[in-house]
Amino acid sequence: MPNEITIPAVDGYPLAVTSFPPAVVGTGDAKPPIALINGATGVKRGYYRAFARHLAGSGMHTLTWDYRGIGDSRPDGPLSAMTATMADWGRLDLTGMLQWIYATYPDHTVVTVGHSVGGQLLGLTDEVARVRAACCVGAQCGYYRLWPWPRRWLLGLFWHLFLPAAVKVAGRYPSRLLGMGEDLPPQVARQWAAWCRNRHFMVDFAGVPLAQTFDLFGGSLLALSFSDDTYAPEKSVATLVEFFTSATHRRHRHLRPADVEARKIGHFGFFRERFRNTLWRKARRWLWAQVLNRPLSDGPRHEPVTI
């Protein structure tokens, strides 16, 4: 049965976490790997519950969690009073999660599944150095000029004008009203826009690139993008993959819905249960191959892999 727990961020901020113990227990000295699922912007951890159960059913101890200001990690007071930034989600929250995992399960292999910003945040924590493998789903470099026309033009208006104006009026980014998930703390939203306006992507509010840690990741990376995902087109995902300069293996798999006999996948579809026997099974198989040091195929470092 899943357990609801609280894990502190680096600064002590309480993060709501659901722990899914492994349903399959290894024998002898085998220790179950720990799989940490990092969600997308404004998406509560409950969205990943079925996928987490799927990984736990294969023998992985799986954790889902909410960033500060999101879901059950939202403060009691008004969201407009929060000073948290999107960088805090990586430097404080993700770092705290990984530190807790390493302290609690010191001899276990750690892997991550990052949805959208959940993959980007790996570049904002030193603790990424101890992650064995990262499966990134629709995780992209958000610089709007990586999008094709005419969406590039529309995104330019969104990041430069609409989002800043919405935050100024509402005191937060009213995502729920727009059908885009949980409302965002004001500085999270403003920094999100600043990142997506800047060719360097991860920057501070003055446009100066943040110190990043992508090069500390020495594990295996699998990036998945989908032809019908307007939030993360192929070029934007490929650009983020290039940030992981020290990865032992980097693989980018661009899929069409027809590849898995589906009508659509989009940005959020991967985590829907209808993909249990296709995308889920293949991603799980890849994660286990990295845990066991058994690559699915030989070949050049950047060779696409069939999953």
Side-chain angles (χ1 to χ4, degrees):
M1 292 291 293
N3 301 309
E4 303 300 329
I5 60 177
T6 299
I7 293 176
V10 170
D11 61 349
Y13 190 97
L15 301 171
V17 179
T18 304
S19 172
F20 299 81
V24 179
V25 180
T27 59
D29 295 330
K31 297 182 183 298
I34 311 299
L36 179 64
I37 300 177
N38 305 322
T41 302
V43 179
K44 296 188 289 187
R45 71 189 188 282
Y47 187 76
Y48 306 98
R49 187 179 186 89
F51 182 67
R53 286 184 179 275
H54 181 75
L55 294 184
S58 75
M60 292 188 177
H61 191 152
T62 307
L63 303 173
T64 62
W65 60 292
D66 291 329
Y67 306 120
R68 66 182 66 201
I70 302 299
D72 293 326
S73 295
R74 182 169 174 167
D76 293 332
L79 202 61
S80 59
M82 285 197 75
T83 60
T85 66
M86 187 166 269
D88 289 339
W89 286 359
R91 291 174 169 175
L92 301 178
D93 296 355
L94 179 55
T95 297
M97 288 293 299
L98 288 171
Q99 287 178 347
W100 183 90
I101 290 170
Y102 299 145
T104 308
Y105 305 100
D107 300 320
H108 296 240
T109 300
V110 177
V111 300
T112 65
V113 177
H115 183 202
S116 199
V117 74
Q120 300 166 12
L121 296 177
L122 294 175
L124 291 175
T125 174
D126 292 345
E127 303 300 337
V128 73
R130 296 172 62 181
V131 173
R132 173 73 62 83
C135 176
C136 293
V137 180
Q140 71 286 64
C141 173
Y143 179 44
Y144 77 100
R145 290 185 181 273
L146 295 173
W147 269 247
W149 293 96
R151 193 168 184 83
R152 179 191 304 181
W153 181 82
L154 295 172
L155 284 172
L157 289 177
F158 179 80
W159 298 122
H160 283 88
L161 298 176
F162 181 81
L163 185 145
V167 172
K168 186 174 183 179
V169 170
R172 66 192 189 288
Y173 183 63
S175 303
R176 288 184 182 179
L177 184 63
L178 301 170
M180 297 176 63
E182 292 284 284
D183 290 355
L184 301 180
Q187 293 297 80
V188 167
R190 290 188 178 108
Q191 187 165 56
W192 187 25
W195 287 7
C196 294
R197 292 191 301 258
N198 196 295
R199 65 185 179 87
H200 297 294
F201 188 41
M202 289 182 167
V203 296
D204 62 18
F205 289 104
V208 178
L210 298 173
Q212 297 171 30
T213 58
F214 290 104
D215 62 335
L216 296 181
F217 177 74
S220 297
L221 175 73
L222 174 64
L224 301 177
S225 60
F226 308 105
S227 62
D228 62 337
D229 183 356
T230 58
Y231 287 81
E234 182 178 11
K235 185 176 180 180
S236 70
V237 174
T239 299
L240 187 73
V241 168
E242 293 301 317
F243 290 4
F244 292 87
T245 55
S246 301
T248 304
H249 299 282
R250 294 187 299 186
R251 296 184 173 103
H252 176 194
R253 186 80 169 111
H254 187 65
L255 300 169
R256 301 169 302 164
D259 294 334
V260 290
E261 300 181 349
R263 288 186 302 170
K264 62 180 181 178
I265 302 173
H267 194 59
F268 299 97
F270 175 95
F271 296 97
R272 297 192 183 279
E273 200 158 3
R274 64 176 176 266
F275 292 111
R276 171 181 295 274
N277 294 322
T278 53
L279 294 173
W280 289 13
R281 179 177 60 83
K282 294 172 182 180
R284 183 198 68 206
R285 178 171 173 253
W286 182 85
L287 287 168
W288 271 109
Q290 311 317 307
V291 169
L292 301 173
N293 286 315
R294 295 175 185 170
L296 293 177
S297 64
D298 296 324
R301 186 164 177 257
H302 304 295
E303 180 187 17
V305 63
T306 299
I307 65 167

